[in-house]
């Protein structure tokens, strides 16, 4: 081993050993390793990342009254936290995803999708308290410092490997494993945030059992999403992605709650429901909205309808409709970059699909006054029907139908009808577009779950949506005079 390599290893070892001096966190009473991120660093990082996170989640939800309400609840909890002097910021994100997040330095976020699922103020407080727990326990600083120390260790391992002849692929594998392990909060960190959150809930006067009741709503929502996706093993794009929860965790949260002798704790169900009455549910019109089997985009000025038994999913990059036996319909927007000339449909297809598919005969068609070209192909054992529609200023709309060869002929008529449902909106139609909203109603004698669910504007799983939004059990009786959340097209 060369002399300079030996001295480098000594320096690295000294650095790592010097970092072993952990500090005691006043919130947890435990020693934690945060050597690479100070409190000042956390505030600076949170401030820098705040606008980026807001942009990533669709911006701030524009409802000043509801925003002020969430801030009041959040500050009530923050005043009970173990880090006096830290300034907290609470923000509602304009996203239909069910999620809550925390940046270091006291930046707490919840989505309007999460608010639609919450049942009372105590459940809202439970979510915020858990996020505050991540901040006070300095979990981001722990994760970052551990990753930094791991990287130093990997650097030292690389030097040793080079000196001793260990293959470099081993180093890359170890580095990948360390990175993958640090992508989400650890089990211990989640349990720690639960513990702190329960403490803050109790100190603020809320029922600590709100944490457990909301957990069960999250599980019901995850089960419903699994049905909607048609896959029992799908990866949820919600609060479980950033906060993995287990049955073991919820049992421990219940035991924590049972440790408190709670008297006169509050839920504030009616107060909360009054505040969220009218909140946007699902898509924002700026990203296009789903209404049953219809997709309508106000800014693009277009509309189309998916086949029966297909369920719509909206995302920033494309619209997907999932049907029986793995069939799909995709809607995509494509912009050709060109200066001073219009790209023809044929040239556009050459620039896009011809690079991916072996296209069969191109056919020119007219879809409600819009020029289009359609073609067929087969890729990876699936049949593809491809339609490119001419828009404005080198803008093109793509409709793609995917099916297994065994069911293609059966779906042909439905695919054709979906294709010819594509049309331009009139200005009055575009101006009249409104999102779906949560409406809080008072039940009357004769109301049943099926009767209320029947009015919900969904293509499928209406009853499951009603149950999930309200924490109802299958078959549970609807008592008159109870406030319930329903989803409506026309909020009045």
């Amino acid at each position: 081993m060369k002399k300079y390599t030996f001295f480098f290893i000594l320096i690295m070892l000294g650095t790592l050993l010097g970092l072993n001096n952990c500090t005691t966190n006043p919130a947890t009473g435990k020693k934690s390793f945060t050597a690479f991120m100070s409190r000042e660093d956390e505030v600076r990082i949170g401030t820098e990342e705040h606008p980026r996170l807001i942009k990533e989640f669709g911006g701030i939800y524009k409802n000043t009254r509801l925003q002020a309400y969430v801030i009041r609840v959040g500050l009530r909890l923050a005043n009970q936290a173990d880090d006096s002097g830290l300034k907290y910021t609470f923000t509602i994100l304009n996203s239909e995803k069910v999620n809550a997040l925390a940046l270091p330095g006291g930046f707490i976020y919840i989505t309007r999708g999460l608010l639609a699922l919450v049942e009372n103020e105590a459940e809202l407080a439970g979510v915020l308290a858990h996020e505050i727990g991540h901040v006070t326990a300095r979990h981001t600083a722990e994760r970052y410092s551990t990753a930094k120390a791991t990287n130093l260790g990997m650097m030292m391992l690389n030097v040793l490997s080079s000196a001793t002849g260990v293959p470099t692929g081993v180093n890359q594998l170890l580095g990948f494993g360390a990175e993958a392990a640090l992508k989400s909060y650890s089990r211990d960190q989640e349990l720690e945030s639960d513990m702190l959150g329960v403490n803050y809930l109790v100190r603020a006067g809320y029922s600590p059992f709100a944490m457990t009741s909301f957990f069960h709503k999250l599980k019901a929502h995850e089960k419903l999403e699994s049905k909607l996706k048609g896959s029992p093993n799908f990866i949820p794009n919600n609060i479980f992605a950033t906060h993995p929860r287990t049955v073991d965790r919820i049992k421990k949260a219940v035991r924590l709650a049972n440790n408190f002798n709670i008297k006169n704790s509050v839920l504030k169900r009616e107060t909360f429901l009054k505040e969220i009455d009218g909140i946007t549910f699902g898509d924002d019109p700026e990203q296009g909205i789903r209404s049953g089997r219809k997709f309508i985009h106000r800014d693009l000025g277009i509309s189309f309808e998916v086949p029966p038994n297909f369920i719509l999913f909206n995302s920033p990059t494309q619209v997907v409709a999932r049907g029986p036996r793995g069939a799909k319909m995709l809607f995509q927007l494509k912009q050709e970059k060109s200066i001073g000339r219009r790209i023809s449909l044929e040239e556009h297809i050459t620039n896009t699909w011809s690079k991916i598919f072996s296209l069969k005969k191109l056919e020119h068609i007219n879809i409600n006054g819009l020029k289009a070209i359609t073609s067929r192909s087969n890729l990876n054992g699936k049949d593809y029907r491809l339609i490119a529609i001419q828009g404005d200023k080198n803008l093109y709309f793509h409709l793609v139908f995917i099916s297994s060869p065994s069911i293609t002929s059966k779906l042909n008529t439905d695919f054709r009808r979906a294709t010819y449902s594509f049309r331009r909106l009139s200005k009055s139609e575009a101006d009249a577009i409104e999102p779906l909203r949560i409406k809080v109603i008072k039940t009357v004698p004769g109301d049943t779950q099926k009767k209320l669910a029947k009015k919900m504007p969904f293509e499928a799983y209406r009853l499951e949506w009603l149950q999930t939004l309200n924490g109802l059990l299958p078959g549970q009786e609807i008592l008159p005079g109870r406030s319930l959340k329903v989803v409506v097209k026309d909020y009045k």
Side-chain angles (χ1 to χ4, degrees), residues 110-131:
I110 57 170
T111 61
R112 59 173 170 81
L114 183 144
L115 286 172
L117 198 61
V118 168
E119 182 75 10
N120 52 57
E121 187 175 300
E123 287 186 355
L124 167 62
V127 174
L128 297 177
H130 180 88
E131 298 305 320

Side-chain angles (χ1 to χ4, degrees), residues 206-266:
Y206 292 107
S207 169
F209 294 101
M211 269 193 166
T212 60
S213 63
F214 187 62
F215 173 83
H216 292 299
K217 288 187 179 67
L218 288 174
K219 294 300 288 183
H221 182 261
E222 183 181 32
K223 185 177 180 180
L224 176 55
E225 274 203 315
S226 177
K227 289 182 178 179
L228 291 169
K229 294 283 187 181
S231 170
N233 300 314
F234 89 106
I235 299 174
N237 185 18
N238 60 13
I239 197 169
F240 286 123
T242 49
H243 301 272
R245 298 197 169 199
T246 63
V247 174
D248 180 54
R249 268 191 62 204
I250 201 61
K251 287 180 179 177
K252 288 188 177 182
V254 171
R255 287 198 293 270
L256 280 170
N258 284 328
N259 288 336
F260 295 93
N261 184 18
I262 307 300
K263 292 183 179 179
N264 302 318
S265 61
V266 297

Side-chain angles (χ1 to χ4, degrees), residues 86-256:
L86 186 63
K87 183 180 178 181
Y88 279 86
T89 300
F90 299 91
T91 305
I92 304 174
L93 299 169
N94 187 25
S95 171
E96 81 280 6
K97 305 299 182 188
V98 177
N99 214 336
L101 307 99
L103 284 177
F107 295 84
I108 309 293
Y109 309 87
I110 57 170
T111 61
R112 59 173 170 81
L114 183 144
L115 286 172
L117 198 61
V118 168
E119 182 75 10
N120 52 57
E121 187 175 300
E123 287 186 355
L124 167 62
V127 174
L128 297 177
H130 180 88
E131 298 305 320
I132 292 172
H134 281 304
V135 173
T136 58
R138 304 191 63 196
H139 287 154
T140 299
E142 283 185 342
R143 292 166 66 192
Y144 176 80
S145 297
T146 303
K148 192 80 171 177
T150 302
N151 288 337
L152 285 173
M154 291 302 166
M155 288 173 62
M156 187 172 68
L157 185 59
N158 284 334
V159 174
L160 286 169
S161 299
S162 299
T164 57
V166 175
T168 55
V170 175
N171 302 341
Q172 293 170 357
L173 182 62
L174 287 171
F176 175 78
E179 180 184 352
L182 293 166
K183 284 186 175 179
S184 63
Y185 291 118
S186 70
R187 179 176 176 274
D188 288 342
Q189 287 174 331
E190 288 294 343
L191 287 171
E192 201 165 58
S193 284
D194 282 342
M195 177 193 71
L196 293 170
V198 169
N199 283 331
Y200 302 154
L201 274 179
V202 173
R203 293 177 193 174
Y206 292 107
S207 169
F209 294 101
M211 269 193 166
T212 60
S213 63
F214 187 62
F215 173 83
H216 292 299
K217 288 187 179 67
L218 288 174
K219 294 300 288 183
H221 182 261
E222 183 181 32
K223 185 177 180 180
L224 176 55
E225 274 203 315
S226 177
K227 289 182 178 179
L228 291 169
K229 294 283 187 181
S231 170
N233 300 314
F234 89 106
I235 299 174
N237 185 18
N238 60 13
I239 197 169
F240 286 123
T242 49
H243 301 272
R245 298 197 169 199
T246 63
V247 174
D248 180 54
R249 268 191 62 204
I250 201 61
K251 287 180 179 177
K252 288 188 177 182
V254 171
R255 287 198 293 270
L256 280 170

Side-chain angles (χ1 to χ4, degrees), residues 118-119 269-277 440 483 485:
V118 168
E119 182 75 10
R269 183 175 185 271
E270 294 299 324
T271 299
F272 175 81
L273 292 177
K274 182 179 179 182
E275 292 290 345
I276 67 159
D277 189 26
V440 179
S483 297
K485 293 175 284 184

